[in-house]
């Protein structure tokens, strides 16, 4: 039976910036429109965190029963390491997704009922990423899904639930967040190219190969930087987002140096931290500018 610390590790807490940063960015976009609603922001944050924990356990379950995680360089997986039964991991995944769905339902009913369909699509994407007979994560579409759901959907959804509309600032924030969030997955899949290729998990990194995957990772960070420059058209205060540059450069270091295996694990942490710091800085800048 897995210990409490192993269950916490199985939830992959280092991925939480992927859930927190979009909500912060979306709330900043709402503040720019003079429409931030803090209790809705907190509820959206709860939904986002519950969903990403559910996704992580669902991936642990699905990859584990397929044998994909039997030999991996990354953090421990509960099913693949035989620390917990597949049924127990699946139960925790379903519980996390259900709790997130309940909170999301409350948020939708106080905003716009059609958002329930968006939440249902998020849950379906969470499961079919590595679950089912033809998971799209095994066909190279994981990064696209992250861009859509942890970038566009999460940021614009957060902005809309508070402001009841979206604008170009929210869309720019969503694209930048999606690029950085996708970069986290690119780094993860770069690390796992050898084991994924051996197990038949054809991620985008496996399709592109080592060299082009490293180029893609750096391009995604560059796109986020360019979009930050675009946000300065709204207010020069958005230059505050570049405070995350040292973290981004540190994250990209092992990728540029052609490090492999466990040496790439810090890239995920530092990319997530850079995204989190960026979202806080830009959201604060937009809030200051919006409420001046």
């Amino acid at each position: 039976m897995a210990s409490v610390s192993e269950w916490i590790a199985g939830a992959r807490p280092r991925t939480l910036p992927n859930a927190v940063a979009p909500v912060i960015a979306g709330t900043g976009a709402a503040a720019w429109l003079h429409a931030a609603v803090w209790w809705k922001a907190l509820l959206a944050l709860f939904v986002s965190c519950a969903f990403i924990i559910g996704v992580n356990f669902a991936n642990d379950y699905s990859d584990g029963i397929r044998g994909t995680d039997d030999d991996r360089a990354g953090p421990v997986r509960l099913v693949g390491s035989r620390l917990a039964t597949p049924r127990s991991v699946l139960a925790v995944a379903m519980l996390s997704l259900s709790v997130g769905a309940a909170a999301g339902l409350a948020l939708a009913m106080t905003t716009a009922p059609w958002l329930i369909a968006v939440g249902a699509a998020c849950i379906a994407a969470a499961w079919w990423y590595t679950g089912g007979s033809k998971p799209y994560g095994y066909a190279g579409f994981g990064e696209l899904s992250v861009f859509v759901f942890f970038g566009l959907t999460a940021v614009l959804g957060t902005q809309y639930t508070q402001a009841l509309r979206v604008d170009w600032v929210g869309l720019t924030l969503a694209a930048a967040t999606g690029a950085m969030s996708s970069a986290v997955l690119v780094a993860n899949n770069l690390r796992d190219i050898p084991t994924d290729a051996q197990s038949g998990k054809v991620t985008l990194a496996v399709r592109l190969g080592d060299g082009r995957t490293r180029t893609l990772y750096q391009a995604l960070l560059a796109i986020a930087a360019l979009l930050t420059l675009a946000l300065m058209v709204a207010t020069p205060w958005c230059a505050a987002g570049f405070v995350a540059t040292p973290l981004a450069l540190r994250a990209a270091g092992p990728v540029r140096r052609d490090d492999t295996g466990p040496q790439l694990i810090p890239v995920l942490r530092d990319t997530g931290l850079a995204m989190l710091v960026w979202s806080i800085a830009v959201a604060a800048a937009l809030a200051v500018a919006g409420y001046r």
Side-chain angles (χ1 to χ4, degrees):
M1 181 177 295
S3 64
V4 172
S5 62
E6 287 168 337
W7 276 105
I8 293 173
R12 304 190 72 180
R14 287 183 177 178
T15 64
L16 285 177
N18 294 64
V20 176
V23 176
I24 294 174
T27 301
W32 168 251
L33 296 177
H34 316 284
V37 181
W38 301 110
W39 70 266
K40 285 189 174 183
L42 291 174
L43 192 55
L45 180 62
F46 182 83
V47 172
S48 188
C49 290
F51 275 0
I52 201 167
I53 291 172
V55 167
N56 290 337
F57 280 121
N59 292 346
D60 191 309
Y61 166 79
S62 297
D63 284 341
I65 62 174
R66 283 189 169 88
T68 308
D69 286 340
D70 288 351
D71 181 21
R72 61 181 276 111
V76 66
R77 289 294 187 95
L78 296 171
V79 176
S81 299
R82 311 297 191 271
L83 293 171
T85 64
R87 180 176 295 183
S88 63
V89 174
L90 178 60
V92 173
M94 293 300 102
L95 176 62
S96 296
L97 291 173
S98 297
V99 169
L105 179 62
L107 188 59
M109 294 306 295
T110 57
T111 304
W114 60 264
L115 289 172
I116 296 172
V118 176
C122 292
I123 293 173
W127 174 252
W128 291 106
Y129 174 53
T130 56
S133 59
K134 294 182 178 180
Y136 65 85
Y138 280 57
F141 295 106
E143 285 79 2
L144 177 61
S145 177
V146 167
F147 182 84
V148 170
F149 289 102
F150 285 100
L152 301 182
T153 303
V155 174
L156 294 178
T158 300
Q159 183 185 26
Y160 184 84
T161 56
Q162 298 177 54
L164 299 181
R165 65 187 179 98
V166 298
D167 68 344
W168 75 269
V169 170
L171 183 60
T172 305
L173 284 166
T177 305
M180 286 185 279
S181 195
S182 296
V184 174
L185 183 58
V186 169
N188 180 81
N189 290 341
L190 171 64
R191 181 198 65 210
D192 292 340
I193 285 177
T195 54
D196 283 345
Q198 184 177 8
S199 64
K201 185 175 182 179
V202 187
T203 62
L204 181 60
V206 171
R207 290 183 183 276
L208 292 177
D210 186 275
R212 285 185 291 181
T213 300
R214 293 176 190 273
T215 300
L216 174 61
Y217 172 85
Q218 294 175 79
L220 288 169
L221 293 186
I223 288 170
L226 290 173
L227 291 172
T228 303
L229 288 173
L231 286 168
M232 291 174 62
V233 174
T235 171
W237 287 95
C238 283
F242 289 108
V243 71
T245 299
L247 278 171
L249 292 175
R250 187 174 75 179
V255 177
R256 294 196 307 270
R257 291 194 301 267
D258 292 332
D259 289 352
T260 59
Q263 295 172 313
L264 290 170
I265 293 176
V267 178
L268 281 72
R269 177 200 63 205
D270 292 339
T271 308
L273 287 175
M275 175 171 56
L276 185 60
V277 170
W278 172 87
S279 68
I280 294 171
V282 173
L286 289 168
V288 169
Y291 286 105
R292 287 182 64 182

